Amino acid sequence: MKIAFTTTGEKLDGALESRFGRAPRFLLYDLEKETFDLIDNQQALNAPRGAGIQAADTIVRSGAKVVVTGHCGPKAFQVLRAAGISVYHSDAATVAEALSEFRSGGLSLVESADVEGHWA
Amino acid sequence: MIVAVASGKGGTGKTTVSINLAVALGSEVQLLDCDVEEPNVSLFLSGSLDSVEVVTTKVPEVDETLCDACGECGLFCRFHAIVSLETKPLVFPELCHACGGCSLVCPRQAIREVERRIGDIETTRCGEISVVRGQLDVGVAMSPPLIRAVKARSRKDALVIVDAPPGVSCPVIAAISGADYVILVTEPTPFGLNDLALAVAMVREIKLPFGVVINRVGIGDDRVHRFCQENDIPVLLELPDDRRVAEAYSKGIAAVKALPQYRKHFQHLLDTCLETIRGSGG
């Protein structure tokens, strides 16, 4: 299973980004192989509106089944849920910390968008 | 004939100029309040209500019994207003630009367009001034369709003054497009200059004739004046930083009514605009 972490860095010790839609990139971690890839989120970062939807679209296409992030807005959450992707909240400083929290079952599943959208 | 009043920066005096032009004219004139997110012309010109019209745009509606989740609609929409990821499409009406593309590319004709209310247009009569005010509904994020609906009510048989929203993005372009002349209102401050330069680039890009009104002269510095001089931009009118104008404004009274000495300045401004339009064969 693959997990997408929002991050500003490029490695496991990179910072966990608290925003989902406007995260610079995603670190896609493969739990079985214990390897990772980086996915750019530039398209969403540059979008005047609909960044969350664009980012969610990117996640769905990446094949990730789980997202670990700080906060997720209503539109992104709706798209992720429709695609059957679980969203977990983490306040961890780095991706590596968030990953170990996830492995130990210490992360809480997000049941609904936890921040307001910017445009609606 | 359409004269649009715009600015880069907000709060420089667009509405002040629009209202005073309309009042100073003294004959039949139409004033379009295109600042639909915060229309305020009616605070100064109240009158008898002629009509209220509801404005809608089209948004997609998906018939899920026909949809096979092929995803074509989502691939087509660059605004992510419709998203389909191996699922039945999700529609985000507030992001929709009403192009109708999703319904055209749908191979199963599962998408039809339905009306969504975005605001209304109120027309009032105030002496010789007909005020047409667009007002966007709370929660609606996209104003250009409503601005275009207000402008579609422009009369051909009278002077039309457009009070545009601030900024230099889509709502402003929607408000000033098709104008015969654009008045850019600014103030002689660094902020005023920064946003004036953006507004000048905008009107030059869409090739509209324009001139500048400098409001509240006496505050700030002379950089706006120098900018206009260096770029061959006509300064149509300079209004002093006059507390009495602000006091009248705070009571909802046009400067030319409270201070008759201002009338000739606005008449002169209007004459200059109209001469330029006629001179260019417009």
Side-chain angles (χ1 to χ4, degrees):
Chain A
M1 186 178 74
K2 288 178 183 171
I3 309 175
F5 296 87
T6 49
T7 184
T8 52
E10 295 179 345
K11 292 180 187 156
L12 281 172
D13 61 4
L16 186 75
E17 164 66 44
S18 66
R19 300 168 306 167
F20 174 72
R22 301 278 180 188
R25 64 191 69 83
F26 304 109
L27 187 147
L28 191 65
Y29 189 83
D30 189 317
L31 274 183
E32 286 77 34
K33 294 183 189 158
E34 301 197 327
T35 58
F36 67 85
D37 291 314
L38 292 171
I39 306 171
D40 196 56
N41 192 36
Q42 205 61 40
Q43 216 182 337
L45 268 182
N46 293 335
R49 290 176 193 169
I53 299 173
Q54 176 67 55
D57 188 322
T58 302
I59 293 295
V60 175
R61 287 175 206 286
S62 77
K65 292 295 166 218
V66 167
V67 166
V68 177
T69 186
H71 303 284
C72 184
K75 296 196 187 77
F77 189 78
Q78 213 180 322
V79 174
L80 292 172
R81 185 162 57 183
I85 294 170
S86 308
V87 181
Y88 286 87
H89 168 79
S90 172
D91 288 322
T94 66
V95 172
E97 283 174 36
L99 176 61
S100 87
E101 284 176 354
F102 179 81
R103 278 189 163 133
S104 65
L107 292 183
S108 54
L109 188 65
V110 179
E111 303 288 350
S112 66
D114 66 344
V115 285
E116 289 284 315
H118 300 295
W119 300 101
Chain B
M1 216 169 290
I2 303 175
V3 175
V5 184
S7 73
K9 186 181 175 300
T12 55
K14 285 179 298 302
T15 303
T16 298
V17 169
S18 302
I19 289 163
N20 283 294
L21 280 178
V23 176
L25 181 68
S27 60
E28 186 64 27
V29 57
Q30 193 185 33
L31 179 46
L32 307 182
D33 195 343
C34 286
D35 192 1
V36 301
E37 288 177 76
E38 42 210 348
N40 61 349
V41 166
S42 303
L43 297 175
F44 303 88
L45 299 170
S46 56
S48 56
L49 187 66
D50 282 342
S51 65
V52 180
E53 301 157 87
V54 170
V55 178
T56 61
T57 60
K58 289 187 160 50
V59 293
E61 188 179 75
V62 181
D63 182 342
E64 295 196 354
T65 61
L66 295 176
C67 174
D68 63 357
C70 72
E72 289 292 330
C73 53
L75 283 176
F76 180 84
C77 184
R78 62 181 290 196
F79 298 107
H80 308 293
I82 187 162
V83 180
S84 170
L85 304 157
E86 296 165 10
T87 58
K88 297 293 162 79
L90 297 170
V91 177
F92 297 96
E94 61 274 32
L95 297 177
C96 179
H97 285 58
C99 73
C102 55
S103 65
L104 291 175
V105 300
C106 177
R108 297 176 64 93
Q109 279 87 49
I111 302 174
R112 69 186 190 109
E113 293 187 277
V114 294
E115 303 284 337
R116 171 179 182 249
R117 184 193 148 107
I118 57 167
D120 62 20
I121 296 177
E122 198 177 273
T123 305
T124 51
R125 165 64 56 181
C126 178
E128 284 160 323
I129 307 170
S130 172
V131 178
V132 184
R133 182 198 75 168
Q135 184 158 276
L136 201 66
D137 285 349
V138 170
V140 176
M142 229 181 304
S143 62
L146 179 56
I147 293 171
R148 286 191 284 269
V150 172
K151 291 193 62 199
R153 279 142 185 87
S154 301
R155 285 170 53 176
K156 298 276 182 275
D157 60 343
L159 175 70
V160 179
I161 297 169
V162 173
D163 188 15
V168 288
S169 60
C170 299
V172 186
I173 308 276
I176 69 173
S177 293
D180 297 290
Y181 195 85
V182 180
I183 297 172
L184 295 178
V185 186
T186 189
E187 59 181 32
T189 63
F191 289 122
L193 174 61
N194 181 76
D195 292 0
L196 174 65
L198 294 170
V200 165
M202 170 185 70
V203 289
R204 284 197 165 143
E205 178 73 27
I206 56 178
K207 298 186 171 55
L208 292 176
F210 70 99
V212 166
V213 169
I214 309 178
N215 192 15
R216 301 188 63 201
V217 171
I219 62 168
D221 55 31
D222 66 346
R223 281 184 280 177
V224 164
H225 290 84
R226 281 190 348 236
F227 171 81
C228 291
Q229 206 171 12
E230 286 160 11
N231 290 281
D232 292 324
I233 297 165
V235 175
L236 309 166
L237 176 66
E238 294 185 43
L239 293 165
D241 184 36
D242 185 340
R243 187 183 168 89
R244 294 170 303 169
V245 173
E247 281 173 3
Y249 190 94
S250 73
K251 293 174 193 151
I253 303 169
V256 298
K257 282 186 186 162
L259 305 157
Q261 62 269 37
Y262 276 91
R263 185 173 288 267
K264 63 176 187 297
H265 296 301
F266 285 97
Q267 278 167 342
H268 175 72
L269 172 61
L270 199 55
D271 289 342
T272 311
C273 297
L274 298 181
E275 274 164 31
T276 311
I277 296 169
R278 294 200 186 97
S280 66

